[in-house]
Each structure stands twice: as structure tokens, then as C-alpha cells.
Amino acid sequence: MELARNTAKEHVEHIYRLYEQQTKKRATSEEVAFVLGNYIKRWQCWRTAGLGHVSFSFCYGGMRLNLEYLSP
């Protein structure tokens, strides 16, 4: 079983939106890292409920992202 491409795309888009929200609030880098880290941890818990390992590369907003999630 693998992660649907659309699911990966939405995950990356959500990270990008969270980042933009935090920068608009003029959050410190520590606050940004905390918010993004919490979102990614929650997403990974949800994702590992059905898959053991996911790795994908994605281009978004001119950035190339390589994400890898392993089961705990």
C-alpha cells in the first residue's frame, strides 16, 4: 500500500500554508518550528496507521522537497 499522490500534495501544501500563517504573525523561528513540527507529528501518526514507510519528492512553489516518514 502506498500514499496517494494527492495526499502527499495536500500535506506539503498544508505545511506551506502553516508556514505562511506563522510568518504573517511574525512568529519567531522557534514558534514556526513548533507549529510545523506538531502538525507533521500528528500527520505522521495518522499516516502510519495504514502504511509502514513513505518516501516522496515534491516540487511546490519553486522548492524541491524530499520527505520520508518511517513507522515508529
Side-chain angles (χ1 to χ4, degrees):
M1 184 185 256
E2 69 181 49
L3 189 66
R5 180 133 179 96
N6 194 47
T7 300
K9 179 178 181 260
E10 289 174 4
H11 176 54
V12 172
E13 287 174 350
H14 193 89
I15 292 170
Y16 187 74
R17 283 192 307 272
L18 281 174
Y19 176 79
E20 286 181 333
Q21 288 170 5
Q22 293 302 305
T23 56
K24 285 180 183 176
K25 286 189 203 177
R26 298 181 187 260
T28 65
S29 57
E30 290 83 11
E31 291 168 332
V32 173
F34 180 78
V35 169
L36 295 180
N38 280 338
Y39 167 70
I40 290 169
K41 284 178 192 173
R42 287 191 312 270
W43 187 85
Q44 187 173 5
C45 284
W46 166 81
R47 195 263 326 145
T48 56
L51 300 174
H53 175 264
V54 172
S55 177
F56 59 95
S57 291
F58 198 83
C59 256
Y60 186 78
M63 297 182 296
R64 183 83 171 152
L65 301 169
N66 296 308
L67 301 173
E68 185 168 347
Y69 296 102
L70 305 170
S71 290

